[in-house]
Amino acid sequence: MTKNNPPNVWQDLSADWLNWADRLAAQAGKINRYLIDALNLPALDAASPGRDLQVLDLASGVGEPAFSIAQMLAGNTTGRGDDSAAGAGGNKDNGNGADGTIPVLAGRVVASDIVSGMCRGLAARAVAEGIGNLNVVTADMEALPFAARTFDAISCRFGVMFCHRPDLALAESYRVLVPGGRAGFMVWAPMADNPLFIAMDKVLRAEIGIGFDSAGLNLFGFADPETSLARMRKAGFTDISLSTRAPVGRIPENAAFWRPQMEMLFGPYLRHAGEKRCLAIDAAMRAELAQFVDEAYFRVPVCFHILSGSRGT
């Protein structure tokens, strides 16, 4: 998490994020692959013979994609599973084996977040999952406490748009990359392409008088592709790319699947609203999203960009 919001917003949300962390791990893994593929870790490893990779994850929240990357760098060959890079629109020529597996990689991950409560929670989760090649650092991504040219790769999943000064955060990312290193940022595409957020904003405004803007949550600051690419160029990045993904989930109709995102963004407001009002919110969300029900399943698209770039050698 970052600091574009009122000072205590993310502190107040730490418990909400930790509450959902384990239950959302599988779902997070399905979209993490797009960000991880953009880093092209096998190619970075091949360019650094005899040296373990060093990866920094920014705004780590409760641990993703830091955990997934650390597991990849633990010296084990990792299969791509049913959702292969080719099947998901990815590139299987990024140094992967002919069978779709990622070559054996070794290295360490630094997971960072501006919120100390988040860091304590993700550190405990890492220990519980036996992830030994991961360190946790409380850090502001606009003023990173690392020396220049420290990391081979930087990942940031839905974090940079919340920065008070996102251009400074990009410049800091560039500063701490080694020459030839690569950074990848997963950011939300426009609200108009994300029906869940359209419904959430509408319902919460009607039920409790709060929406994304009034809560200080700028989810869509990197929604415009041209502006985002220009920001990367301004920060110094080269070999810049932006791809847009819009996967569609398949969620049972009786599941209140909006609750995780809603609680992780608006937890304090919902607790103050009380149980009766929250039930009304669930009913209103179900009505708003009914148009996406097909054969007893919600099929609601989520749309995001993968923005990536390298530091020149």
Side-chain angles (χ1 to χ4, degrees):
M1 290 293 94
T2 54
K3 67 173 187 182
N4 187 43
N5 316 93
N8 65 344
V9 166
W10 297 121
Q11 297 285 355
D12 291 343
L13 286 169
S14 296
D16 297 289
W17 280 67
L18 291 167
N19 179 52
W20 285 103
D22 291 333
R23 284 176 281 179
L24 291 179
Q27 178 183 332
K30 291 179 181 179
I31 65 171
N32 284 343
R33 66 174 183 268
Y34 298 112
L35 178 57
I36 295 171
D37 283 351
L39 299 177
N40 204 348
L41 296 176
L44 295 178
D45 181 69
S48 307
R51 182 173 63 81
D52 288 353
L53 290 176
Q54 303 298 314
V55 179
L56 171 64
D57 185 51
L58 299 171
S60 297
V62 290
E64 285 295 340
F67 286 8
S68 295
I69 295 173
Q71 289 163 345
M72 288 176 59
L73 299 182
N76 300 314
T77 301
T78 305
R80 300 307 296 263
D82 294 335
D83 292 317
S84 68
N91 182 355
K92 290 188 71 173
D93 294 325
N94 288 346
N96 296 350
D99 61 354
T101 60
I102 298 174
V104 175
L105 302 175
R108 297 193 64 83
V109 175
V110 173
S112 67
D113 200 284
I114 196 171
V115 180
S116 57
M118 296 281 197
C119 290
R120 289 192 296 271
L122 76 89
R125 293 186 68 234
V127 170
E129 295 190 24
I131 301 175
N133 60 334
L134 181 142
N135 296 332
V136 181
V137 176
T138 302
D140 179 355
M141 60 193 294
E142 297 176 17
L144 293 172
F146 309 110
R149 305 184 178 197
T150 298
F151 296 98
D152 299 283
I154 295 173
S155 59
C156 183
R157 181 180 184 269
F158 299 132
V160 69
M161 65 282 246
F162 292 123
C163 288
H164 179 60
R165 295 174 293 179
D167 292 327
L168 181 56
L170 293 178
E172 277 289 274
S173 295
Y174 182 87
R175 180 184 67 82
V176 301
L177 273 179
V178 302
R182 191 158 184 85
F185 303 88
M186 183 180 287
V187 295
W188 288 114
M191 181 187 278
D193 298 326
N194 282 284
L196 175 62
F197 292 138
I198 294 174
M200 193 182 299
D201 193 63
K202 178 180 178 181
V203 168
L204 291 179
R205 286 180 187 276
E207 294 291 338
I208 60 176
I210 195 79
F212 290 117
D213 289 344
S214 50
L217 296 166
N218 183 19
L219 270 69
F220 309 105
F222 278 74
D224 179 69
E226 290 305 317
T227 301
S228 296
L229 291 168
R231 282 179 150 171
M232 291 288 282
R233 288 191 292 269
K234 180 182 177 181
F237 289 98
T238 58
D239 188 22
I240 301 165
S241 69
L242 184 146
S243 62
T244 301
R245 307 290 183 178
V248 179
R250 187 171 181 268
I251 305 167
E253 184 180 6
N254 62 354
F257 71 93
W258 49 85
R259 285 182 186 167
Q261 281 283 359
M262 189 176 285
E263 290 184 10
M264 289 190 294
L265 294 171
F266 296 95
Y269 301 103
L270 295 173
R271 288 191 290 275
H272 182 73
E275 183 178 359
K276 183 176 181 180
R277 182 64 64 184
C278 287
L279 290 174
I281 290 170
D282 280 346
M285 287 293 294
R286 195 173 297 280
E288 288 291 327
L289 296 170
Q291 61 184 302
F292 296 100
V293 173
D294 180 28
E295 296 183 351
Y297 287 91
F298 280 113
R299 295 188 59 81
V300 182
V302 294
C303 190
F304 52 87
H305 303 313
I306 303 296
L307 181 66
S308 62
S310 299
R311 175 167 179 161
T313 56

